[in-house]
Amino acid sequence: MQSNAAVKVVKFGGSSLADAEHFKKVADIIKADPSRRYVVPSAPGKRFGGDSKVTDMLYECYDRVVNNNDYTDILDKIKERYDLIIKGLELNLSLDKEFSAIESILSNRASCDYVASRGEYLNGLILASYLGFSFIDAADVIFFDSDGLLDSEKTNKVMCKKLSHYEYAVIPGFYGSACDGSTKTFSRGGSDITGSIIARAVEADIYENWTDVSGVKMVDPRIVENPKTISVITYSELRELAYMGATVLHEDAIFPVRLTGIPINIKNTNRPDDEGTMIVLQAPDDDVRNEITGIAGKKGFSVINIVKDMMNSEVGFGRKVLSILEKYKISFEHIPSGIDSMGVIVSSALLAESRERVINELSCEIVPDCISIEDNIALVAVVGRGMVESVGIAARIFKAIGEAGINVRMIDQGSTENNIIIGISANDLENTIKAIYYEFDGKENS
Ligand code: ADP
Ligand code: ASP
Ligand code: MG
């Protein structure tokens, strides 16, 4: 839809827009390259350890309204955050009208999503004013369907048409409109998805995602100090890692750009010259295939352990188990099984509400010899496009975990052989990730 000139979509996360000083860095980055035309801001993040993200404060505000508690002090604090930014940027801008509107909607029991979306909306107004760019409300260009899912085609059509009238624009991240016209947000971290939707609509050459780290690291830098940066990662590898806890990019952010193969470049707002990580459809021909690309893990899983003699020869056994989980809207993560036993790994949060009913119904329907639920399970994903071609990776992973004295509860390997999932006790999560990282880091090119 655009002319031949390069077009870049740039998204800045909350940590990149937490205060006026960061806004200045962001503006320098944008102004340094005229092809950075469409800008997606998140809400202000934490300025220092112990500080609050504005989005979290907005959720708190909503909770107070629901529980009939006074929310004015927290709303005042939020307004203070924005006023400080406006003052630091010496802008002639007032958000008084916007805050009165939020207050009146809050006292009329606003929806949770509406309240949460104001973080990005207000930051977008400030950033557009500071850059001298047009402001486009995401509610006018991003749409969800009646199932609450992104309506990709309608969104793409409307977004494409709208942006063709603007050379430079700021579009706030994280939200859009539900099909009844109310405001709806993506899940947490969803501004990454907004950026990707816009990159698709304007057929961007690149989607730059600016954050507070110089790219996707082999492991979470909060677990291992100064881990290696991944220079190139494929969309599918990234998705595996992001889903399992590498929160640097929302796992669904690859879908809109994957359709046309637009690369995503993760960059550091505080170190703009660092190359960061390129996320691409396919690794280049001269790809250096490290044995593993990255490791991520998360807590919060439970295993439903089912034991029954000869379950493997009972036709329909698996279907019966899964249909009961389906009834309670519980999706499963993995199903490691033997001839007389099966473990179904599910999110503990999803199971919480119906755990007794699930056990009772499974007991009646499949008449197991034994059934139990084990909580506090963590999953670790070891991901790598090079794994399929390297012999002995699994042996090295399990040797490293064994030497760290960690008991493995479950193992699963995806059919594409680019990941190995390991279930362990939640207490062992950090040590497992460290043990695997140190086994591979530094040894892979030796
Ligand atoms: P933003 O506010 O820019 O959206 P996020 O906090 O959502 O930033 O994501 C960046 C953070 O993701 C980093 O500060 C880091 O703590 C965390 N993170 C977790 N896993 C990884 C990883 N593998 N590589 C880089 N960062 C990671
Ligand atoms: N501000 C939202 C959040 O904190 C969305 C985002 O940052 O991407 O989840
Ligand atoms: Mg984020």
Side-chain angles (χ1 to χ4, degrees):
M1 60 161 286
Q2 304 290 339
S3 68
N4 290 333
V7 180
K8 293 181 181 168
V9 171
V10 287
K11 177 258 169 180
F12 291 88
S15 48
S16 302
L17 291 165
D19 55 27
E21 287 320 301
H22 277 92
F23 265 72
K24 290 178 187 169
K25 287 187 196 176
V26 164
D28 287 345
I29 290 167
I30 295 168
K31 297 285 166 148
D33 181 349
S35 60
R36 294 188 173 125
R37 291 176 41 193
Y38 300 107
V39 182
V40 178
S42 287
K46 293 183 184 179
R47 294 160 293 183
F48 44 83
D51 194 20
S52 303
K53 291 183 174 185
V54 163
T55 308
D56 291 329
M57 295 163 88
L58 288 162
Y59 280 122
E60 159 86 24
C61 212
Y62 175 78
D63 279 351
R64 294 217 198 154
V65 173
V66 170
N67 295 311
N68 289 319
N69 291 328
D70 180 36
Y71 61 83
T72 45
D73 60 324
I74 186 139
L75 196 60
D76 286 346
K77 275 196 194 135
I78 296 171
K79 184 159 189 302
E80 233 170 73
R81 291 277 310 255
Y82 287 107
D83 284 343
L84 263 178
I85 295 174
I86 292 171
K87 193 164 165 240
L89 300 176
E90 298 176 45
L91 284 176
N92 184 16
L93 175 74
S94 160
L95 295 178
D96 290 354
K97 241 177 51 201
E98 280 74 18
F99 271 93
S100 308
I102 294 170
E103 198 155 3
S104 95
I105 297 178
L106 264 175
S107 44
N108 287 312
R109 299 245 154 178
S111 79
C112 180
D113 282 14
Y114 167 80
V115 178
S117 73
R118 295 305 86 186
E120 272 65 14
Y121 175 81
L122 297 168
N123 233 18
L125 289 176
I126 299 177
L127 188 59
S129 163
Y130 188 51
L131 294 170
F133 284 16
S134 304
F135 174 82
I136 297 174
D137 190 347
D140 298 333
V141 281
I142 291 188
F143 304 96
F144 294 87
D145 64 19
S146 52
D147 293 324
L149 301 173
L150 174 70
D151 186 338
S152 320
E153 293 321 306
K154 179 177 175 188
T155 297
N156 193 50
K157 212 166 132 197
V158 175
M159 181 80 78
C160 207
K161 187 153 180 244
K162 181 90 174 175
L163 293 185
S164 67
H165 300 298
Y166 295 87
E167 202 177 356
Y168 292 96
V170 171
I171 308 102
F174 193 39
Y175 71 94
S177 289
C179 50
D180 63 0
S182 63
T183 301
K184 179 162 172 52
T185 64
F186 292 106
S187 55
R188 295 300 303 265
S191 301
D192 293 330
I193 307 174
T194 309
S196 188
I197 290 169
I198 296 169
R200 175 191 173 197
V202 300
E203 295 172 16
D205 296 86
I206 193 161
Y207 165 25
E208 291 178 346
N209 188 294
W210 293 82
T211 182
D212 62 350
V213 271
S214 294
V216 184
K217 306 284 175 176
M218 267 184 80
V219 285
D220 188 331
R222 291 165 297 187
I223 296 178
V224 170
E225 206 180 314
N226 202 15
K228 275 189 186 161
T229 303
I230 302 167
S231 56
V232 178
I233 185 170
T234 63
Y235 293 143
S236 55
E237 287 176 307
L238 187 280
R239 197 169 141 70
E240 298 272 0
L241 287 177
Y243 179 72
M244 288 301 290
T247 50
V248 61
L249 188 78
H250 193 294
E251 74 260 21
D252 294 344
I254 63 150
F255 290 126
V257 288
R258 192 175 66 176
L259 292 166
T260 48
I262 299 166
I264 306 174
N265 189 191
I266 306 285
K267 299 268 289 174
N268 189 345
T269 301
N270 303 309
R271 295 175 58 99
D273 294 333
D274 288 357
E275 289 193 351
T277 300
M278 290 300 286
I279 307 171
V280 294
L281 183 59
Q282 261 177 337
D285 292 341
D286 59 352
D287 183 31
V288 183
R289 281 169 202 253
N290 292 331
E291 292 155 313
I292 66 167
T293 303
I295 310 155
K298 67 180 180 188
K299 299 179 182 175
F301 296 99
S302 299
V303 191
I304 306 172
N305 284 312
I306 304 166
V307 178
K308 185 176 185 186
D309 282 347
M310 301 197 20
M311 70 162 66
N312 66 321
S313 51
E314 191 177 321
V315 176
F317 188 89
R319 178 185 51 76
K320 286 180 198 159
V321 171
L322 294 184
S323 64
I324 291 168
L325 293 180
E326 183 182 358
K327 180 173 161 193
Y328 291 101
K329 298 196 172 3
I330 301 167
S331 53
F332 71 90
E333 304 286 329
H334 301 278
I335 309 187
S337 58
I339 50 172
D340 298 328
S341 68
M342 172 192 257
V344 187
I345 302 195
V346 297
S347 143
S348 309
L350 283 181
L351 182 64
E353 218 177 286
S354 44
R355 80 191 261 141
E356 297 307 323
R357 277 169 287 161
V358 166
I359 290 291
N360 287 341
E361 284 192 35
L362 282 172
S363 301
C364 293
E365 188 66 26
I366 57 174
V367 199
D369 298 336
C370 178
I371 183 163
S372 62
I373 296 179
E374 198 181 335
D375 297 313
N376 295 320
I377 297 291
L379 296 178
V380 170
V382 184
V383 176
R385 57 188 179 277
M387 275 170 28
V388 67
E389 287 172 1
S390 314
V391 177
I393 301 257
R396 281 172 67 189
I397 293 172
F398 293 110
K399 185 172 145 278
I401 300 176
E403 281 173 3
I406 294 158
N407 182 24
V408 173
R409 320 298 292 269
M410 185 235 34
I411 304 167
D412 197 2
Q413 182 171 34
S415 57
T416 50
E417 280 187 57
N418 70 359
N419 67 352
I420 293 177
I421 309 285
I422 302 145
I424 39 150
S425 159
N427 297 334
D428 292 327
L429 179 62
E430 279 81 13
N431 285 340
T432 304
I433 290 176
K434 281 184 190 157
I436 302 170
Y437 178 71
Y438 291 127
E439 168 62 30
F440 287 91
D441 176 39
K443 292 191 186 174
E444 51 199 14
N445 297 319
S446 60

Coordinates of all heavy atoms in Angstrom, one line a residue, residues 70-130:
D70 N -12.6 3.3 48.0 CA -12.2 4.6 47.4 C -11.0 4.4 46.4 O -10.0 3.7 46.8 CB -11.8 5.5 48.5 CG -11.4 6.9 47.9 OD1 -12.0 7.3 46.9 OD2 -10.5 7.5 48.5
Y71 N -11.1 4.9 45.3 CA -10.0 4.7 44.3 C -9.3 6.1 43.9 O -8.4 6.1 43.1 CB -10.6 4.1 43.0 CG -11.7 5.0 42.3 CD1 -11.3 6.0 41.4 CD2 -13.0 4.7 42.5 CE1 -12.2 6.8 40.9 CE2 -14.0 5.5 41.9 CZ -13.6 6.6 41.1 OH -14.5 7.4 40.5
T72 N -9.8 7.1 44.5 CA -9.3 8.5 44.1 C -7.8 8.6 44.3 O -7.1 9.2 43.5 CB -10.1 9.6 44.8 OG1 -10.2 9.3 46.1 CG2 -11.5 9.8 44.2
D73 N -7.3 8.1 45.4 CA -5.8 8.3 45.7 C -5.0 7.6 44.6 O -4.0 8.2 44.1 CB -5.4 7.8 47.1 CG -5.7 6.3 47.3 OD1 -6.7 5.8 46.7 OD2 -4.9 5.6 47.9
I74 N -5.4 6.4 44.1 CA -4.6 5.7 43.1 C -4.8 6.4 41.8 O -3.8 6.6 41.0 CB -4.9 4.2 43.1 CG1 -4.0 3.5 42.2 CG2 -6.3 3.9 42.7 CD1 -3.5 2.2 42.7
L75 N -6.0 6.9 41.5 CA -6.2 7.6 40.2 C -5.3 8.9 40.2 O -4.7 9.3 39.2 CB -7.7 7.9 40.0 CG -8.0 8.3 38.5 CD1 -7.7 7.2 37.5 CD2 -9.5 8.7 38.4
D76 N -5.3 9.6 41.4 CA -4.4 10.8 41.5 C -3.0 10.4 41.2 O -2.2 11.2 40.6 CB -4.5 11.4 42.9 CG -5.9 12.1 43.1 OD1 -6.6 12.3 42.1 OD2 -6.3 12.4 44.2
K77 N -2.5 9.3 41.7 CA -1.1 8.9 41.5 C -0.8 8.7 40.1 O 0.2 9.0 39.5 CB -0.8 7.6 42.3 CG -0.4 7.8 43.7 CD 0.2 6.6 44.3 CE 0.3 6.7 45.9 NZ -0.2 5.5 46.6
I78 N -1.8 8.1 39.4 CA -1.7 7.8 37.9 C -1.5 9.1 37.2 O -0.7 9.3 36.4 CB -2.8 6.9 37.4 CG1 -2.8 5.6 38.0 CG2 -2.8 6.8 35.9 CD1 -4.0 4.7 37.8
K79 N -2.4 10.1 37.6 CA -2.4 11.4 36.9 C -1.1 12.1 37.1 O -0.5 12.7 36.2 CB -3.6 12.2 37.4 CG -3.7 13.5 36.6 CD -5.0 14.2 36.7 CE -5.2 15.4 35.8 NZ -4.2 16.4 36.0
E80 N -0.6 11.9 38.4 CA 0.7 12.5 38.7 C 1.8 12.0 37.8 O 2.7 12.7 37.4 CB 1.1 12.1 40.1 CG 1.4 13.2 41.1 CD 1.5 12.6 42.5 OE1 2.5 11.9 42.8 OE2 0.5 12.8 43.3
R81 N 1.8 10.7 37.5 CA 2.8 10.1 36.6 C 2.8 10.7 35.3 O 3.8 11.1 34.7 CB 2.6 8.6 36.4 CG 2.8 7.6 37.6 CD 4.2 7.2 37.8 NE 4.9 6.7 36.7 CZ 5.2 5.4 36.5 NH1 4.8 4.5 37.4 NH2 5.9 5.0 35.5
Y82 N 1.6 10.9 34.7 CA 1.5 11.5 33.4 C 1.9 13.0 33.4 O 2.6 13.5 32.6 CB 0.1 11.3 32.8 CG -0.2 9.9 32.4 CD1 -1.0 9.1 33.1 CD2 0.4 9.4 31.2 CE1 -1.2 7.8 32.7 CE2 0.2 8.1 30.8 CZ -0.6 7.3 31.6 OH -0.8 6.0 31.2
D83 N 1.4 13.7 34.5 CA 1.8 15.1 34.6 C 3.3 15.3 34.7 O 3.8 16.3 34.1 CB 1.0 15.7 35.8 CG -0.4 16.0 35.5 OD1 -0.8 16.0 34.3 OD2 -1.2 16.1 36.4
L84 N 4.0 14.4 35.4 CA 5.4 14.5 35.5 C 6.1 14.4 34.2 O 7.0 15.1 33.8 CB 5.9 13.4 36.4 CG 6.2 13.7 37.9 CD1 6.7 12.5 38.6 CD2 7.3 14.8 38.0
I85 N 5.6 13.5 33.4 CA 6.1 13.3 32.0 C 5.9 14.5 31.2 O 6.8 15.1 30.5 CB 5.5 12.0 31.3 CG1 5.9 10.7 32.1 CG2 5.9 11.9 29.9 CD1 5.2 9.5 31.6
I86 N 4.7 15.0 31.2 CA 4.3 16.2 30.4 C 5.2 17.4 30.8 O 5.7 18.1 30.0 CB 2.8 16.6 30.6 CG1 2.0 15.5 30.0 CG2 2.5 17.9 30.0 CD1 0.5 15.6 30.3
K87 N 5.4 17.5 32.2 CA 6.2 18.6 32.7 C 7.7 18.5 32.2 O 8.3 19.4 31.7 CB 6.1 18.7 34.2 CG 6.7 19.9 34.8 CD 6.2 20.0 36.3 CE 7.1 21.1 36.9 NZ 7.8 20.6 38.1
G88 N 8.2 17.2 32.3 CA 9.6 17.0 32.0 C 9.8 17.2 30.5 O 10.9 17.5 30.1
L89 N 8.8 17.1 29.7 CA 8.9 17.3 28.2 C 8.6 18.7 27.8 O 8.6 19.0 26.7 CB 8.0 16.3 27.5 CG 8.3 14.8 27.7 CD1 7.3 13.9 26.9 CD2 9.7 14.4 27.2
E90 N 8.2 19.5 28.8 CA 7.8 20.9 28.6 C 6.7 21.0 27.5 O 6.8 21.9 26.6 CB 9.0 21.7 28.2 CG 10.1 21.7 29.4 CD 11.4 22.5 29.0 OE1 11.2 23.6 28.4 OE2 12.4 22.0 29.3
L91 N 5.7 20.2 27.6 CA 4.7 20.2 26.7 C 3.5 21.1 27.1 O 3.2 21.1 28.3 CB 4.1 18.8 26.5 CG 4.9 17.8 25.6 CD1 4.2 16.4 25.7 CD2 5.1 18.3 24.2
N92 N 2.9 21.7 26.2 CA 1.7 22.5 26.5 C 0.5 21.6 26.3 O -0.2 21.6 25.3 CB 1.6 23.7 25.6 CG 0.5 24.6 25.9 OD1 -0.1 24.5 27.0 ND2 0.1 25.5 25.0
L93 N 0.3 20.7 27.3 CA -0.7 19.6 27.1 C -1.4 19.4 28.5 O -0.7 19.3 29.5 CB -0.1 18.4 26.6 CG -1.0 17.1 26.4 CD1 -1.9 17.3 25.2 CD2 -0.1 15.9 26.2
S94 N -2.7 19.2 28.5 CA -3.3 18.9 29.8 C -4.2 17.7 29.5 O -4.9 17.5 28.5 CB -4.2 20.1 30.2 OG -5.1 19.6 31.2
L95 N -4.1 16.7 30.5 CA -5.0 15.5 30.4 C -6.2 15.6 31.3 O -6.8 14.6 31.6 CB -4.1 14.3 30.7 CG -3.0 14.0 29.7 CD1 -2.2 12.8 30.2 CD2 -3.5 13.8 28.3
D96 N -6.4 16.8 31.8 CA -7.5 17.0 32.8 C -8.9 16.5 32.3 O -9.6 15.8 33.0 CB -7.7 18.5 33.2 CG -6.6 19.0 34.0 OD1 -5.7 18.2 34.4 OD2 -6.5 20.2 34.3
K97 N -9.2 16.8 31.0 CA -10.4 16.4 30.4 C -10.5 14.9 30.3 O -11.5 14.2 30.7 CB -10.5 17.0 29.0 CG -11.7 17.9 28.8 CD -11.8 18.5 27.4 CE -11.7 17.5 26.3 NZ -11.2 18.1 25.0
E98 N -9.4 14.3 29.9 CA -9.3 12.8 29.8 C -9.5 12.1 31.2 O -10.3 11.2 31.3 CB -8.0 12.3 29.2 CG -7.9 12.4 27.7 CD -7.7 13.9 27.3 OE1 -7.3 14.7 28.1 OE2 -7.9 14.1 26.1
F99 N -8.9 12.7 32.2 CA -9.1 12.1 33.6 C -10.5 12.3 34.1 O -11.0 11.4 34.8 CB -8.0 12.6 34.5 CG -6.7 11.8 34.5 CD1 -5.7 12.1 33.6 CD2 -6.6 10.6 35.2 CE1 -4.6 11.3 33.5 CE2 -5.5 9.8 35.2 CZ -4.5 10.2 34.3
S100 N -11.1 13.4 33.8 CA -12.5 13.6 34.2 C -13.4 12.5 33.6 O -14.3 12.0 34.2 CB -13.1 15.0 33.8 OG -12.2 16.0 34.2
A101 N -13.1 12.3 32.3 CA -13.9 11.3 31.6 C -13.7 9.9 32.2 O -14.6 9.2 32.4 CB -13.5 11.3 30.1
I102 N -12.4 9.6 32.5 CA -12.1 8.3 33.1 C -12.9 8.2 34.5 O -13.5 7.2 34.8 CB -10.6 8.1 33.3 CG1 -9.9 8.0 31.9 CG2 -10.3 6.8 34.1 CD1 -8.4 8.0 32.0
E103 N -12.8 9.2 35.2 CA -13.4 9.2 36.6 C -14.9 9.0 36.4 O -15.5 8.2 37.2 CB -13.1 10.5 37.3 CG -13.4 10.4 38.7 CD -12.5 11.4 39.6 OE1 -11.8 12.2 39.0 OE2 -12.6 11.3 40.8
S104 N -15.5 9.7 35.5 CA -17.0 9.6 35.4 C -17.4 8.2 34.9 O -18.3 7.6 35.4 CB -17.6 10.7 34.6 OG -17.8 10.3 33.3
I105 N -16.6 7.6 34.0 CA -16.9 6.3 33.5 C -16.6 5.2 34.6 O -17.4 4.3 34.8 CB -16.1 5.9 32.2 CG1 -16.5 6.9 31.1 CG2 -16.3 4.5 31.8 CD1 -15.8 6.7 29.8
L106 N -15.6 5.5 35.4 CA -15.3 4.6 36.6 C -16.4 4.6 37.6 O -16.8 3.5 38.0 CB -14.0 5.1 37.3 CG -12.7 4.5 37.0 CD1 -11.6 5.2 37.7 CD2 -12.6 3.0 37.3
S107 N -17.0 5.8 37.9 CA -18.0 5.8 38.9 C -19.3 5.2 38.3 O -20.2 4.8 39.1 CB -18.3 7.2 39.4 OG -18.3 8.1 38.4
N108 N -19.4 5.0 37.0 CA -20.5 4.3 36.4 C -20.2 2.8 36.1 O -20.7 2.3 35.2 CB -21.0 5.0 35.1 CG -21.7 6.3 35.4 OD1 -22.6 6.3 36.3 ND2 -21.3 7.3 34.7
R109 N -19.2 2.3 36.8 CA -18.8 0.9 36.7 C -18.3 0.6 35.2 O -18.9 -0.2 34.5 CB -19.9 0.0 37.0 CG -20.4 0.1 38.4 CD -20.2 -1.2 39.1 NE -20.1 -0.9 40.5 CZ -19.9 -1.8 41.4 NH1 -19.7 -3.0 41.1 NH2 -19.8 -1.5 42.7
A110 N -17.2 1.2 34.9 CA -16.5 1.0 33.6 C -16.1 -0.5 33.5 O -16.0 -1.1 34.6 CB -15.3 1.9 33.5
S111 N -15.9 -1.0 32.3 CA -15.4 -2.3 32.2 C -13.9 -2.3 32.5 O -13.2 -1.3 32.4 CB -15.6 -2.8 30.8 OG -14.6 -2.3 29.9
C112 N -13.4 -3.5 33.0 CA -12.0 -3.6 33.4 C -11.1 -3.3 32.2 O -10.1 -2.6 32.4 CB -11.8 -5.1 33.9 SG -10.2 -5.5 34.4
D113 N -11.5 -3.8 31.0 CA -10.6 -3.6 29.9 C -10.5 -2.1 29.5 O -9.5 -1.6 29.1 CB -11.1 -4.4 28.6 CG -10.8 -5.9 28.7 OD1 -10.4 -6.3 29.8 OD2 -10.9 -6.6 27.7
Y114 N -11.6 -1.4 29.6 CA -11.6 0.0 29.3 C -10.6 0.7 30.3 O -9.7 1.5 29.8 CB -13.0 0.6 29.5 CG -12.9 2.2 29.5 CD1 -12.8 2.9 28.3 CD2 -12.9 2.9 30.7 CE1 -12.7 4.2 28.3 CE2 -12.8 4.3 30.7 CZ -12.7 4.9 29.5 OH -12.5 6.3 29.5
V115 N -10.7 0.4 31.5 CA -9.8 1.1 32.5 C -8.3 0.8 32.2 O -7.5 1.7 32.1 CB -10.2 0.6 34.0 CG1 -9.2 1.3 35.0 CG2 -11.6 1.0 34.3
A116 N -8.1 -0.6 32.0 CA -6.7 -1.0 31.7 C -6.1 -0.3 30.4 O -4.9 0.1 30.4 CB -6.6 -2.5 31.6
S117 N -7.0 -0.1 29.5 CA -6.5 0.4 28.2 C -6.1 1.9 28.3 O -5.4 2.4 27.4 CB -7.6 0.3 27.1 OG -8.6 1.3 27.4
R118 N -6.5 2.6 29.3 CA -6.2 4.1 29.4 C -4.7 4.3 29.5 O -4.3 5.4 29.2 CB -7.0 4.7 30.5 CG -8.6 4.7 30.4 CD -9.1 5.3 29.1 NE -9.1 4.4 28.0 CZ -9.4 4.7 26.7 NH1 -9.6 5.9 26.4 NH2 -9.4 3.8 25.8
G119 N -4.0 3.4 30.0 CA -2.5 3.5 30.2 C -1.9 3.8 28.9 O -1.1 4.8 28.7
E120 N -2.2 3.0 27.9 CA -1.6 3.2 26.5 C -2.2 4.4 25.9 O -1.6 5.2 25.2 CB -1.9 1.9 25.7 CG -0.9 0.8 25.8 CD -0.8 0.1 27.1 OE1 -1.7 0.3 28.0 OE2 0.2 -0.6 27.3
Y121 N -3.6 4.6 26.1 CA -4.3 5.7 25.4 C -3.6 7.1 25.8 O -3.3 7.9 24.9 CB -5.7 5.7 25.8 CG -6.6 6.8 25.3 CD1 -7.1 6.8 24.0 CD2 -6.9 7.9 26.1 CE1 -7.8 7.9 23.5 CE2 -7.6 9.0 25.7 CZ -8.1 8.9 24.4 OH -8.9 10.0 23.9
L122 N -3.4 7.3 27.1 CA -2.9 8.5 27.6 C -1.4 8.7 27.1 O -1.0 9.8 26.8 CB -3.0 8.6 29.1 CG -4.5 8.6 29.6 CD1 -4.5 8.4 31.1 CD2 -5.2 9.9 29.2
N123 N -0.7 7.6 27.2 CA 0.7 7.7 26.8 C 0.8 8.0 25.3 O 1.7 8.7 24.9 CB 1.5 6.4 27.1 CG 2.7 6.6 27.9 OD1 2.9 7.6 28.6 ND2 3.6 5.6 27.9
G124 N -0.1 7.5 24.5 CA -0.1 7.7 23.1 C -0.4 9.2 22.8 O 0.2 9.8 21.9
L125 N -1.3 9.8 23.6 CA -1.6 11.2 23.4 C -0.4 12.1 23.7 O 0.0 13.0 22.9 CB -2.7 11.7 24.4 CG -4.1 11.2 24.1 CD1 -5.1 11.7 25.2 CD2 -4.6 11.7 22.7
I126 N 0.4 11.7 24.8 CA 1.6 12.5 25.1 C 2.6 12.3 24.0 O 3.2 13.3 23.5 CB 2.1 12.1 26.5 CG1 1.1 12.3 27.6 CG2 3.4 12.8 26.8 CD1 1.6 11.9 28.9
L127 N 2.9 11.1 23.6 CA 3.9 10.8 22.6 C 3.6 11.5 21.3 O 4.5 12.1 20.7 CB 4.1 9.3 22.5 CG 5.3 8.9 21.6 CD1 6.6 9.4 22.2 CD2 5.4 7.4 21.5
A128 N 2.3 11.4 20.9 CA 2.0 12.1 19.6 C 2.2 13.6 19.6 O 2.8 14.2 18.7 CB 0.5 11.8 19.3
S129 N 1.9 14.2 20.8 CA 2.1 15.6 20.9 C 3.6 15.9 20.9 O 4.0 16.9 20.3 CB 1.4 16.0 22.2 OG 1.9 17.3 22.6
Y130 N 4.4 15.1 21.6 CA 5.8 15.4 21.7 C 6.5 15.2 20.3 O 7.4 16.0 20.0 CB 6.4 14.4 22.7 CG 7.9 14.7 23.1 CD1 8.3 16.0 23.4 CD2 8.8 13.7 23.1 CE1 9.6 16.2 23.8 CE2 10.1 13.9 23.4 CZ 10.5 15.2 23.7 OH 11.9 15.5 24.0

